[in-house]
Each structure stands twice: as structure tokens, then as C-alpha cells.
Amino acid sequence: MFDRPIDLGSARILISNDDGINAPGLRLLEKVARQLCPDVWVVAPEQEQSGASHSLTLRRPLRIRKIRPRRFAVDGTPTDCVLLAIKSIMRGKPPTLVLSGINAGGNFGEDITYSGTVAAAMEATLLEVPAVALSQHYDRNNGIKWEAAMRYAPELLRRLTAAPWPRNTLVNVNFPDVPPDRVKGIEVTRQGRRIIGDNLTERVDPRGVPYYWIGPMRDDFPNEPGTDIAAVRRGAVSVTPIFLDLTNVPALRALGELFA
Ligand code: MN
């Protein structure tokens, strides 16, 4: 696996996302990537896939649409995109780094398990390519501002790639919803917790049949210091290492004794 730094001079960067091939955040991430190296490829979903999680399309064919050299859309999920990019589109010379985003909206706490943005980075990590998921938090009342991400992403990626990359690990980055000059540094965090499931809307359609709408996710979550949520809420860039071995190691012994 990878535990070595990435040489950006000779790097080949693949970009994907879950907001789709036409998303503004994707174009901005391309700009960021081009500041790091010239060899930038984009393989992104045709349609928005937010909340797609790590789903893989198995029951229908997938089509790849070439838009121009090094830019492709796939009629599938973020996971499909990264898999097809690494194993088919770029198989002659696979990427050395995968960037996913920049997502319109933060991916904190449990979001990590629902997020298509994070899933694209997961798929890359499973295919042994180092990957970073990037998300820009914003307040729905004020609209999204990308300046904090644009100011901080290039330097953050330079520093991440210069160090040995932890094995089996993706890096989940969230940018705070503040002007760049007011960003309170970069904080390394652990996954926090959000309030989930209390954002269901139940209404009745014009034919009298009830329907349900999930979300948007509530932002009035509790703050625990040291978490991704707390860091972004206080105005810092949050950087969380996410480990893809989901085993609860401390529980192994207790469970082992239970079944001895
Ligand atoms: Mn999204």
C-alpha cells in the first residue's frame, strides 16, 4: 500500500465528485489541481449523486461520454466513475492522486457514510491510490462561497502529499463558511456526530397520497472539541484521516471471549 510521499512534479491527478460533471465545485477543484501539476483528468457523474454513498452500479450497463481529452462523464455513481477511470480510462498510466469535490456543503460526522464525495475517495483508496475528499461548508440562507477552499486547498494538498501517506486511509477535508482572511488555521480532527433523522418532512401529494422528503441536514448539531464539526464551526479548515478498515479493534477481545 502507499506510505510514501507523492511527487507532484510527476503526478497525474484524477478529479471526481458527487455533484456532477457540471458542478461549479468540480471546475474549482480542477483549478486547484492545475496549480499542483499539469496532468489533470476529470471523470465525474453525468447527474448529481449527492447521498449516493459508496454505491456501485451492477444491474445496468454504464456509458462513458468523452467530452474532450482528459474529461469524461459517466452515467453512474462517484464510485463507478473512479473505478472506470482507474481500471479503464486511465489504465495505461493510472492516477497518483485522486481528489473528490469540491462538494457544495460540508461532509462531517455521519455524512461520511452517506457522502458520494467521500465515497469517490474511498474507491480510490481501495484501489490503492491516495485520495482526498474536499467539501465547502455553507449556510443555506446565505449561499455558498468558495473563497476559503480556493485559498487553502492548494497549500493543504501540497503539505499532505509531501508527507508519507497513511495506509488504507483517505483524507476528508472541510472548509469553513468564512472569508479566507478569517479562517482560523488548519485543524486535524476526528469524525464528529450529527443529529440525523429529525429532518423528515411528511406532506400529502395532489392525489392525497403521503410523501416524505429527507433533509436538509440540520446544522444545529452539538459541538465536541476535536471533531470535524467543531473545527469548521469555529472557522478552521478540518482535516480528518478516515481509515477504511471498519473493524472495532477494542471490541475484538470482548467478542472473542464471548464466543470462545
Ligand atoms: Mn454533493
Side-chain angles (χ1 to χ4, degrees):
M1 299 289 274
F2 35 85
D3 49 10
R4 59 193 183 279
I6 298 156
D7 176 17
L8 286 175
S10 62
R12 165 170 280 205
I13 295 180
L14 167 65
I15 294 177
S16 194
N17 74 350
D18 77 355
D19 291 339
I21 189 75
N22 295 316
L26 185 78
R27 307 235 172 222
L28 293 172
L29 189 51
E30 286 180 72
K31 269 193 192 170
V32 169
R34 291 216 170 79
Q35 292 177 45
L36 305 175
C37 87
D39 194 7
V40 177
W41 293 59
V42 175
V43 182
E46 290 274 15
Q47 306 288 336
E48 186 182 342
Q49 299 286 323
S50 294
S53 183
H54 196 203
S55 58
L56 198 56
T57 302
L58 300 176
R59 291 181 182 81
R60 63 172 178 83
L62 286 164
R63 303 287 179 182
I64 298 172
R65 181 169 63 94
K66 184 172 184 177
I67 298 162
R68 59 172 184 267
R70 302 186 192 185
R71 188 177 185 86
F72 301 82
V74 173
D75 64 342
T77 65
T79 301
D80 296 331
C81 290
V82 171
L83 183 67
L84 285 177
I86 294 175
K87 291 297 180 184
S88 175
I89 298 168
M90 304 171 74
R91 70 172 174 261
K93 188 187 170 195
T96 44
L97 176 68
V98 172
L99 305 178
S100 180
I102 303 170
N103 191 61
N107 277 306
F108 317 113
E110 289 80 4
D111 296 343
I112 291 165
T113 64
Y114 301 114
S115 167
T117 306
V118 175
M122 273 185 193
E123 188 65 9
T125 304
L126 294 175
L127 292 169
E128 301 191 9
V129 182
V132 183
L134 304 104
S135 303
Q136 173 64 63
H137 179 52
Y138 73 102
D139 177 345
R140 279 183 175 76
N141 299 319
N142 299 328
I144 189 157
K145 296 178 288 292
W146 302 96
E147 285 79 7
M150 294 310 285
R151 171 84 66 89
Y152 277 82
E155 181 57 22
L156 192 146
L157 290 169
R158 270 192 202 99
R159 287 168 68 179
L160 277 177
T161 51
W165 200 279
R167 301 175 67 201
N168 217 9
T169 301
L170 68 89
V171 178
N172 186 40
V173 177
N174 280 284
F175 298 98
D177 184 21
V178 295
D181 295 339
R182 288 179 39 212
V183 170
K184 295 192 176 75
I186 297 171
E187 183 180 335
V188 175
T189 58
R190 64 194 155 81
Q191 181 185 348
R193 279 204 89 121
R194 294 186 77 143
I195 302 165
I196 56 170
D198 62 346
N199 54 353
L200 282 178
T201 299
E202 180 184 346
R203 290 193 184 143
V204 178
D205 76 14
R207 292 180 177 82
V209 182
Y211 67 88
Y212 303 85
W213 206 297
I214 299 172
M217 294 299 170
R218 278 177 49 177
D219 273 352
D220 53 342
F221 26 63
N223 270 304
E224 248 186 82
T227 62
D228 46 10
I229 293 167
V232 168
R233 300 255 312 163
R234 75 172 183 83
V237 178
S238 168
V239 177
T240 311
I242 302 291
F243 191 45
L244 289 191
D245 178 348
L246 300 181
T247 311
N248 181 348
V249 172
L252 275 177
R253 182 195 289 256
L255 267 186
E257 284 169 4
L258 190 62
F259 291 105

